[in-house]
Amino acid sequence: METLVLPAPAKLNLFLHITGRRADGYHELQSVFQFLDLHDVLSFTRLSSTAIEFQCSDAQLDTPDNLVVRAAQLLQSYQRVAQGARIILDKRLPYGGGLGGGSSDAATTLLALNQLWELNLTIDQLAELGLQLGADVPVFVRCHAAFAEGVGERLYPVQPTSPWYLVVDPRVHISTAELFQHPELKRDCAPLARESWQQQTTQNVFEPLVRQLYPEVAKALDWLVEYAPTRLTGTGACLFGAFESQELARAALARMPAQWNGFVARGLNESPVCQQLRQASTDNLTNQD
């Protein structure tokens, strides 16, 4: 197996609560992650040298500091790998909008190179490595919708419903650091039992602040809620509405104001990355036979 082509799916935070703040300044969170059937695409080719060659379809992200490169180098260093890789990222997800695209790209890189380089690291080991790159990376490594606690690293598989979502990108850059430091951020949510959380009784605690600080996001939230239950994902700026059918979601998308971007996608409880890796592994074993 010399080349792998794999997806890196988007995610939504179906809710996002803060239950406290630790002595080290990090916030204690609770959230549920669910994947979307919209994704970036990454191609990995094994190299005999130790070089990590990287190309990205988006020139702004085509840098040595991209999380894809950092993930490859981290794995290489961790296992003292004497191989390299050529990695090509076809960037299709909006970045900086709370959809986890960069974290997903990094997770797919860890999973792909673990298989391509035949390292045989466990998912637990890869998730622990991923946490060094970002709090959202482990959920993409584990490939299952999850109830998250801590800084997002304690993950418990869940099975939320899988509606069709209309995701709206108001094309606004939001400073996550600013929001986390804001004095009006709600940090005292009562902890939820992960077995009994309900979408109707949760919220995204960042939404009131984002509404206040970013009027364009507030406009988008007010527009979409006319069509479906609507919520901010992560710290934004993207937001999503849940629909019973693809047709209803597409009908709302057709009426979306032209100044925003948007797309329709299905919620997924298993990431397509692990499905495709299992298939690639099976195909490889069959070819060897």
Side-chain angles (χ1 to χ4, degrees):
M1 190 187 305
E2 298 297 328
T3 298
L4 280 172
V5 179
L6 294 169
K11 62 81 179 168
L12 296 177
N13 292 85
L14 300 188
F15 74 91
L16 183 49
H17 289 186
I18 298 176
T19 58
R21 197 171 188 176
R22 305 189 320 201
D24 60 9
Y26 283 96
H27 291 76
E28 291 282 349
L29 308 176
Q30 287 190 316
S31 188
V32 164
F33 293 104
Q34 187 176 41
F35 306 113
L36 295 175
D37 64 352
L38 190 79
H39 50 78
D40 293 338
V41 177
L42 292 104
S43 168
F44 302 87
T45 302
R46 181 163 52 188
L47 299 178
S48 56
S49 73
T50 58
I52 302 297
E53 300 176 3
F54 177 65
Q55 298 173 35
C56 182
S57 60
D58 188 321
Q60 294 181 74
L61 303 177
D62 196 354
T63 71
D65 196 45
N66 191 292
L67 274 177
V68 167
V69 178
R70 290 169 56 194
Q73 291 172 338
L74 178 64
L75 189 59
Q76 206 177 36
S77 171
Y78 179 73
Q79 286 293 95
R80 298 183 175 86
V81 178
Q83 304 172 70
R86 179 180 300 113
I87 308 172
I88 301 172
L89 169 59
D90 180 6
K91 192 69 187 169
R92 303 178 182 182
L93 300 175
Y95 55 91
L99 298 177
S103 295
S104 186
D105 294 338
T108 291
T109 300
L110 292 174
L111 291 164
L113 294 180
N114 183 53
Q115 187 153 316
L116 201 62
W117 288 340
E118 300 176 337
L119 303 180
N120 298 313
L121 294 178
T122 66
I123 290 295
D124 285 346
Q125 288 173 301
L126 292 172
E128 190 173 334
L129 279 175
L131 188 58
Q132 297 180 39
L133 298 165
D136 286 351
V137 178
V139 73
F140 290 107
V141 169
R142 294 190 181 280
C143 287
H144 203 284
F147 187 101
E149 294 183 310
V151 297
E153 85 285 8
R154 297 201 305 272
L155 299 165
Y156 308 90
V158 291
Q159 289 284 137
T161 59
S162 298
W164 288 92
Y165 294 108
L166 169 53
V167 180
V168 176
D169 176 10
R171 303 170 75 173
V172 173
H173 174 73
I174 286 180
S175 170
T176 297
E178 178 189 11
L179 293 181
F180 268 107
Q181 297 304 319
H182 201 284
E184 293 179 28
L185 178 63
K186 181 176 174 60
R187 299 180 173 89
D188 60 353
C189 297
L192 295 173
R194 61 177 180 269
E195 302 83 5
S196 58
W197 73 277
Q198 292 183 334
Q199 185 73 355
Q200 309 90 283
T201 56
T202 59
Q203 62 177 313
N204 183 332
V205 294
F206 291 95
E207 198 169 302
L209 272 180
V210 171
R211 278 185 170 277
Q212 174 187 325
L213 299 172
Y214 300 92
E216 193 67 16
V217 181
K219 287 181 192 174
L221 285 162
D222 290 341
W223 173 80
L224 187 53
V225 79
E226 295 294 321
Y227 296 92
T230 297
R231 188 163 287 176
L232 197 71
T233 181
T235 55
C238 288
L239 50 123
F240 62 94
F243 292 79
E244 293 180 0
S245 70
Q246 185 181 28
E247 292 74 22
L248 288 171
R250 289 197 179 280
L253 176 61
R255 300 185 185 96
M256 186 185 70
Q259 71 264 32
W260 305 328
N261 292 328
F263 61 85
V264 171
R266 188 76 186 262
L268 300 175
N269 290 334
E270 186 178 7
S271 167
V273 181
C274 290
Q275 296 170 340
Q276 292 191 28
L277 279 171
R278 285 195 298 268
Q279 186 60 51
S281 181
T282 300
D283 292 346
N284 193 43
L285 289 172
T286 301
N287 292 337
Q288 289 175 1
D289 292 342

